[in-house]
Amino acid sequence: MQNDTDVLTFPTSRPAADLAWREDALCAQAGPEFFFPAPGSSTREAKQLCGACEGRVACLEYALAHDERFGVWGGLSEKERLRLRRARDGA
């Protein structure tokens, strides 16, 4: 599984509007409650599934481009995406 700094170097050549990654995404087989757990619940299982998904980078790009603030997207939680966004913006 990649960590936050590995994600900082992912390619950005794919447009955020490209949703083709959703067709083969592993999350489509698990259901939304798996990726949007109750507050305080573990996100470990969702992140493991994301780590095996070919669409993980595109999913993360989509979440960052659309300011998704809830759930696990591209293998990162809300807090992890916020840290990544701040690191990218130089904050």
Side-chain angles (χ1 to χ4, degrees), residues 35-91:
F35 295 89
F36 297 90
S41 297
S42 175
T43 59
R44 184 179 54 207
E45 292 84 9
K47 289 179 179 184
Q48 287 175 338
L49 191 59
C50 289
C53 184
E54 292 182 16
R56 189 187 74 76
V57 171
C59 176
L60 180 57
E61 289 176 6
Y62 176 87
L64 293 171
H66 292 88
D67 198 24
E68 292 288 348
R69 297 188 183 198
F70 302 100
V72 174
W73 289 81
L76 298 182
S77 68
E78 300 97 335
K79 289 179 183 179
E80 292 165 331
R81 288 193 309 278
L82 180 59
R83 275 197 309 263
L84 176 59
R85 189 175 292 112
R86 286 179 179 164
R88 283 181 161 186
D89 293 342

Side-chain angles (χ1 to χ4, degrees), residues 19-36:
L19 299 178
W21 57 270
R22 287 181 161 187
E23 294 176 19
D24 297 321
L26 295 177
C27 59
Q29 301 168 22
E33 63 281 349
F34 196 69
F35 295 89
F36 297 90

